[in-house]
Amino acid sequence: MDIRRTVLWMIFSFSLLLLWNNWQIHNGKPSLFGAPTPTASTPATDTPAAANNATPSVPNAPPATATATPSAVPGAATPVPTRSEEVVITTDVLRLTFDTLGAQLVRAELLKYPATGQPDKPTVLLDRSAGLTYIAQTGVIGGSFPTHQTPFRVVSTERQLTGDSLVVAFEAESGGVKVTKTFTLHRGRYDIDVRHDLANVGAAPVTPALYLQLERDGNDPADTSSFYHTFTGMAVYSEQDKFQKMTFADIEKKKANYIKQADNGWIAVVQHYFATAWVPPQGKPRNNEVLEVQKNVYAARTIEAVGEIAPGAAARVDSHLWVGPQDQKAMAALAPGLELVVDYGWLTIIAKPLFTLMTWLHSILGNWGWTIVALTVLIKALFYPLAAASYRSMARMKQVAPRLQALKEKYGDDKQKLNAAMMEMYRTEKINPLGGCLPMVVQIPVFISLYWVLLASVEMRGAPWILWVHDLSIRDPFFILPAIMMATMFLQIKLNPTPPDPVQAKVMMIMPLVFGGMMFFFPAGLVLYWCVNNTLSIAQQWSITRAMQRKTEAAANR
């Protein structure tokens, strides 16, 4: 069997499969690899009031233990108060809009992250509009207590961060319980301290429960690419079951798998580059729920029993809310496992060290483009022994190519004799026919891990390199890097031995067009990596081939 032909056809077939898979995703059809297709749902047309009416399916009585089962109340017919006021709070990194109806966080603008294609406008992560429903809510249940549908009044006066922190407080009273929500924002930070003070102002004991909720529609972010898939959905983390993510489609079909009761962890909504997360008090039993609250609107919530509060007494619950970029270092400091929202999949064990190395290089170089270049050089140096073995094998194959062609002409269609003659020649010349492939196979997990690191790292977003590359997270505006990549791939093919089979030769010449065409739509940071990788490979291959030629010529002149 012609092993090289088989390998070439495998590569070509896989390339066609990738192209077909991307075409399927582009047209809104399921991915061939089982990854969730970007949802093409119609934006929710409900008014803000209707969206607010998607009340949690929280218990009538609060769960006394972590095993308590939530029940569905109140329903969609519950009247919603309409009296509300929007309060805008600004720090150096966030502009937040709260609605006094429920003291909900209904809009979050990330001031340090420009919107894709609109550098003069900030990225809007949370919003409550015709095109996006994505809000953070809290409330108290177990009676007719203040929920995210109850009118609150703002009791703080500051609206602009002037020092190191800014406190925003809201109050409401209902059912004999006075609830004070206090949000504390910090300079340069995306984590918000959230304190709930519950005071029993009635004449009888109460046993309330507090819920923390994130609500989002199932539509994809506006900058979602059709040519590569990134996860958008919800996640639950616990020490028991670790990181569990779920798509909106699975939630809708009630197939979401996550831990229902725990005394640790967090809940989150995840999308490319950004995330929101509620981190409840650790060590206290709670119920987790992830469900569809109305058509194309989903909620992730955690419900914790506060315990009995006697008349005149009060209780306090401290939690944290993250609203911002997927900053792995800051998220890991906030809660164990929160950095896992940057999901590298089954290659995390390789990808995380690569990201750590990238951040170290960036601390020295100060530019993410040059960081990619330096990282690629280091990886090529690490795998140089394997690459050298591969190139030496290809060089030997190139030297014996005329003899292989002669064998093909000699034996014609007699494949059995031809293969036997080829194997004999390989043994005589000490050539491993797979020597050029196996070293590359070993490197594939590292290359795939690096691909995901570059694709998922929010640090690439808006990061410039040089000249025309102003953002490594979007495609090259002038397609210069993809053109360089195709040129380097063609040059690599020319340096390799020409396959004796004309079909194989044509397949090899098509490969640069296939991969180069795909790279026209990929982030510039990824294409930069491939350009540098190809250039270094050409240099290595040329150097090793020249050295072997000199060695052969020296041996012939003796």
Side-chain angles (χ1 to χ4, degrees), residues 466-470 474-484 519-520 524:
I466 57 173
L467 301 177
W468 74 99
V469 180
H470 303 293
I474 62 176
R475 67 184 185 183
D476 185 332
F478 301 109
F479 305 111
I480 296 175
L481 287 174
I484 294 174
M519 291 298 148
F520 272 80

Side-chain angles (χ1 to χ4, degrees), residues 381-510:
L382 176 65
F383 285 106
Y384 179 79
L386 288 174
S390 174
Y391 297 142
R392 280 194 291 268
S393 177
M394 287 189 287
R396 292 193 188 99
M397 291 293 293
K398 192 171 185 177
Q399 289 175 348
V400 301
R403 295 167 59 185
L404 283 174
Q405 184 61 35
L407 289 175
K408 288 180 178 292
E409 293 173 356
K410 178 179 179 181
Y411 293 104
D413 295 332
D414 193 336
K415 297 295 184 182
Q416 185 173 0
K417 289 184 178 180
L418 174 61
N419 286 333
M422 289 171 59
M423 291 299 106
E424 179 61 30
M425 186 186 69
Y426 291 152
R427 282 193 294 269
T428 302
E429 298 295 333
K430 298 181 180 180
I431 295 175
N432 180 0
L434 290 178
C437 301
L438 292 179
M440 299 305 297
V441 171
V442 176
Q443 301 176 55
I444 286 176
V446 176
F447 292 150
I448 295 176
S449 299
L450 183 57
Y451 166 87
W452 282 109
V453 168
L454 296 178
L455 184 63
S457 299
V458 70
E459 288 79 4
M460 299 297 109
R461 193 178 189 276
W465 180 39
I466 57 173
L467 301 177
W468 74 99
V469 180
H470 303 293
D471 188 345
L472 291 165
S473 70
I474 62 176
R475 67 184 185 183
D476 185 332
F478 301 109
F479 305 111
I480 296 175
L481 287 174
I484 294 174
M485 179 189 168
M486 283 194 288
T488 53
M489 287 190 72
F490 274 118
L491 185 53
Q492 277 186 291
I493 290 172
K494 290 297 183 182
L495 290 174
N496 291 336
T498 302
D501 189 333
V503 176
Q504 294 181 39
K506 290 179 181 179
V507 169
M508 292 301 294
M509 295 304 294
I510 291 174

Side-chain angles (χ1 to χ4, degrees), residues 291-310:
L291 72 165
E292 184 179 28
V293 292
Q294 64 184 62
K295 184 64 177 177
N296 196 40
V297 178
Y298 306 87
R301 66 175 68 102
T302 180
I303 309 168
E304 174 191 325
V306 177
E308 184 175 279
I309 305 176

Side-chain angles (χ1 to χ4, degrees), residues 97 116 144 220 223 233 266 296 306 309 312 328 331 345 353 361 385 396 407 413 415 433 446 454 461-462 522 536:
T97 302
T116 302
S144 56
D220 285 307
D223 58 353
W266 42 263
N296 196 40
V306 177
I309 305 176
Q328 297 185 52
M331 297 181 97
L361 288 171
R396 292 193 188 99
L407 289 175
D413 295 332
K415 297 295 184 182
V446 176
L454 296 178
R461 193 178 189 276
F522 274 62
L536 294 175

Side-chain angles (χ1 to χ4, degrees), residues 175-192:
V177 172
K178 179 181 178 181
V179 174
T180 303
K181 298 184 186 182
T182 304
F183 299 83
T184 304
L185 296 87
H186 305 276
R187 180 173 297 277
R189 287 165 51 178
Y190 295 94
D191 59 298
I192 304 169

Side-chain angles (χ1 to χ4, degrees), residues 60-93:
N60 283 311
T65 68
T67 58
T69 303
S71 58
V73 293
T78 304
V80 179
T82 57
R83 179 166 56 88
S84 69
E85 173 191 353
E86 289 192 344
V87 179
V88 179
I89 305 298
T90 306
T91 73
D92 57 325
V93 296

Side-chain angles (χ1 to χ4, degrees), residues 116-255:
T116 302
Q118 297 178 297
D120 58 331
K121 295 182 179 180
T123 291
V124 177
L125 183 57
L126 302 184
D127 200 10
R128 186 181 61 185
S129 64
L132 176 64
T133 299
Y134 190 1
I135 51 184
Q137 305 162 324
T138 70
V140 180
I141 42 84
S144 56
F145 305 141
T147 68
H148 69 276
Q149 297 179 348
T150 303
F152 278 68
R153 65 185 183 91
V154 60
V155 294
S156 56
T157 58
E158 297 296 325
R159 300 291 185 269
Q160 183 87 27
L161 177 70
T162 55
D164 291 331
S165 62
L166 172 63
V167 175
V168 186
F170 301 86
E171 282 185 357
E173 183 180 326
S174 178
V177 172
K178 179 181 178 181
V179 174
T180 303
K181 298 184 186 182
T182 304
F183 299 83
T184 304
L185 296 87
H186 305 276
R187 180 173 297 277
R189 287 165 51 178
Y190 295 94
D191 59 298
I192 304 169
D193 300 330
V194 184
R195 189 181 79 236
H196 288 80
D197 293 291
L198 283 64
N200 186 349
V201 296
V206 294
T207 53
L210 175 72
Y211 66 85
L212 309 174
Q213 175 168 282
L214 296 169
E215 191 175 279
R216 192 192 192 284
D217 63 36
N219 303 322
D220 285 307
D223 58 353
T224 298
S225 172
S226 299
F227 288 88
Y228 53 87
H229 173 77
T230 55
F231 176 76
T232 300
M234 295 183 168
V236 176
Y237 179 87
S238 65
E239 292 180 2
Q240 299 94 312
D241 293 342
K242 303 304 180 185
F243 182 71
Q244 297 173 291
K245 65 180 183 179
M246 54 219 78
T247 65
F248 295 125
D250 283 343
I251 298 170
E252 181 182 7
K253 297 172 184 175
K254 296 181 172 56
K255 293 182 178 180

